[in-house]
Amino acid sequence: MRRPILAGNWKMNTCRESARALASALAEQVPASRDDVEVIVCPPAVYLETVLAAASGSGLQVGGQNSSDQEPGAFTGETACEMLTDLGCSSVIIGHSERRQFYGECDSVVNSKTKKALASGLKAIVCVGELLDQREAGKTKAVLESQMTGSLADLSVEDMANVVIAYEPVWAIGTGKVASNEQAEEAHACLRTWLEGRFNSDVAAATRILYGGSVKPDNAAGLLSQPNVDGALVGGASLKPELFIPIIDAGAATVA
Ligand code: PEP
């Protein structure tokens, strides 16, 4: 049984007060005893401490949106994995399509960041996903397999216990164009088959694969009930409790 993860990627949004209020509203929904789903919020780095304070004592987990592949040192503007764990973060998003697209992160960078995050004790939420023209050219499977091969290079079976995959078709991120339930399931099944071939059947069976791309309360139940969809990575809708809480509920309903 894979415990669903509902993760909110706040991107470069919120201010200190709205971050605190949003985290408090979510923490109320996720008491420490909650064990049906995992809920993670990934605020901007400068508000991590505010959000961690608001989540304190609850089961709400807090993660980074990005981290360096380097040890702490002379890397202006970067956030070390050691700093995330020092604050109490559980996880970090690696290789989000906006990092790949706007900051030139290729699979080998995603790979070294993933290895550093794992070595630091963080759960790595590794993002993959095809562009619209790649889908239209029938290349989705090849693109996903190539991203997985590069992003997870050198990882061991043991490492995979702390890796979560997020399938985020780039054409569905922030566009309001959601993948159909069938498109999501097909991509997730392809990723799980790849995991079995690269690692083994236990890794394939245990690894959580999240869907991301315009998840909203009205499409969450359909997506999350697909057999190979183990949760969601949510952008826009994670910024409003009245949108994110029904998505958490939809995830919980799949294990009820
Ligand atoms: C994301 O940023 O990972 C994302 C999926 O965004 P949105 O839900 O807004 O499409």
Side-chain angles (χ1 to χ4, degrees):
M1 186 67 214
R2 296 183 292 267
R3 187 176 172 201
I5 296 178
L6 293 313
N9 172 15
W10 294 3
K11 311 195 188 193
M12 199 166 72
N13 291 299
T14 68
C15 62
R16 184 165 52 178
E17 184 45 33
S18 63
R20 192 203 56 72
L22 179 51
S24 300
L26 296 173
E28 270 179 36
Q29 304 293 316
V30 190
S33 57
R34 186 161 188 173
D35 61 4
D36 53 350
V37 294
E38 285 184 55
V39 183
I40 307 173
V41 289
C42 301
V46 292
Y47 299 133
L48 281 168
E49 206 157 10
T50 300
V51 168
L52 280 154
S56 175
S58 78
L60 183 66
Q61 297 177 45
V62 181
Q65 295 178 12
N66 178 37
S67 56
S68 172
D69 58 355
Q70 300 295 320
E71 301 284 315
F75 298 98
T76 304
E78 290 291 287
T79 303
C81 291
E82 289 82 351
M83 296 168 182
L84 296 179
T85 53
D86 182 31
L87 287 178
C89 292
S90 67
S91 39
V92 62
I93 299 171
I94 312 262
H96 188 277
S97 71
E98 288 150 16
R99 301 292 319 170
R100 291 176 181 264
Q101 195 181 346
F102 303 131
Y103 301 96
E105 290 190 8
C106 57
D107 290 330
S108 73
V109 170
V110 174
N111 181 237
S112 59
K113 289 189 170 194
T114 300
K115 288 193 267 196
K116 183 73 177 76
L118 295 173
S120 306
L122 291 164
K123 184 156 53 194
I125 304 173
V126 180
C127 302
V128 295
E130 80 286 1
L131 303 167
L132 184 58
D133 60 344
Q134 294 169 327
R135 172 164 283 270
E136 288 176 347
K139 293 184 181 156
T140 299
K141 182 168 180 282
V143 169
L144 293 181
E145 290 179 346
S146 158
Q147 289 178 333
M148 292 287 275
T149 301
S151 301
L152 304 187
D154 309 324
L155 264 58
S156 65
V157 164
E158 293 71 36
D159 286 332
M160 289 305 292
N162 287 312
V163 172
V164 173
I165 305 296
Y167 167 60
E168 299 208 304
V170 181
W171 48 271
I173 297 180
T175 59
K177 278 190 213 157
V178 66
S180 68
N181 298 339
E182 295 71 25
Q183 286 172 321
E185 173 57 20
E186 185 182 23
H188 283 230
C190 159
L191 292 167
R192 204 172 299 287
T193 301
W194 184 90
L195 288 169
E196 180 164 7
R198 164 69 172 78
F199 297 99
N200 59 39
S201 55
D202 288 344
V203 168
T207 302
R208 268 92 54 96
I209 307 177
L210 315 184
Y211 169 79
S214 297
V215 176
K216 306 280 182 247
D218 62 354
N219 58 31
L223 290 160
L224 292 169
S225 60
Q226 298 307 306
N228 283 295
V229 176
D230 309 312
L233 179 55
V234 184
S238 72
L239 292 168
K240 294 188 176 159
E242 66 274 24
L243 298 181
F244 196 46
I245 291 167
I247 296 172
I248 297 171
D249 293 343
T254 65
V255 290

